[in-house]
Amino acid sequence: VLTMTIRNDYKSPLIMERIYIAKSSFSRTSEPIDELELGVRVKRDLKILEKQCYQLELTILIGDEDKKLEVSATCVAIFKTETEQQVLVERNAVAIVFPFLRSYISTITTQPDMAPIVLPPMNIMAMLSDEKQ
């Protein structure tokens, strides 16, 4: 007989205190947009609010070269942590917040005469590193 004990005493060193969509926009032309090649850009800004308290602002920008479709959304999240390692906080906070933005973009692009934009899971930290270089 196999027995399993489920533990619930694991404590995360990173706690999300609050999350909200700070701003978003959606625009498109009247031209068909079914075959557009969309680009995705991600911006992030991590601020220290006080000792062991951080604010992450994560923005996703989606659009085509001819500006037939443009979507942007910015999510803000407040995190408290027990660690002083800002790099670890930033990487984990981005990974936590990205799915919220991904879902929000799918929701706001569920519009008549277009298929919703569903961003695939992506390595956001690699994308951000590429943009820096």
Side-chain angles (χ1 to χ4, degrees), residues 49-132:
L49 299 179
E50 58 189 51
K51 186 177 180 183
Q52 298 178 328
C53 184
Y54 296 85
Q55 174 182 294
L56 173 68
E57 186 173 293
L58 189 64
T59 301
I60 295 180
L61 307 156
I62 301 169
D64 66 300
E65 286 184 6
D66 297 326
K67 299 189 184 249
K68 292 179 181 178
L69 176 68
E70 294 181 305
V71 179
S72 71
T74 300
C75 187
V76 175
I78 309 298
F79 290 91
K80 296 224 172 167
T81 183
E82 295 175 359
T83 182
E84 298 290 332
Q85 298 176 353
Q86 186 170 335
V87 172
L88 292 176
V89 171
E90 183 173 30
R91 287 181 181 202
N92 288 306
V94 168
I96 291 167
V97 171
F98 179 72
F100 288 95
L101 267 177
R102 188 173 171 260
S103 173
Y104 181 77
I105 287 170
S106 293
T107 300
I108 67 171
T109 59
T110 303
Q111 301 294 324
D113 194 37
M114 73 176 282
I117 296 173
V118 180
L119 295 172
M122 7 178 141
N123 185 338
I124 297 301
M125 292 312 295
M127 183 185 291
L128 291 168
S129 293
D130 288 347
E131 282 190 0
K132 281 185 178 179

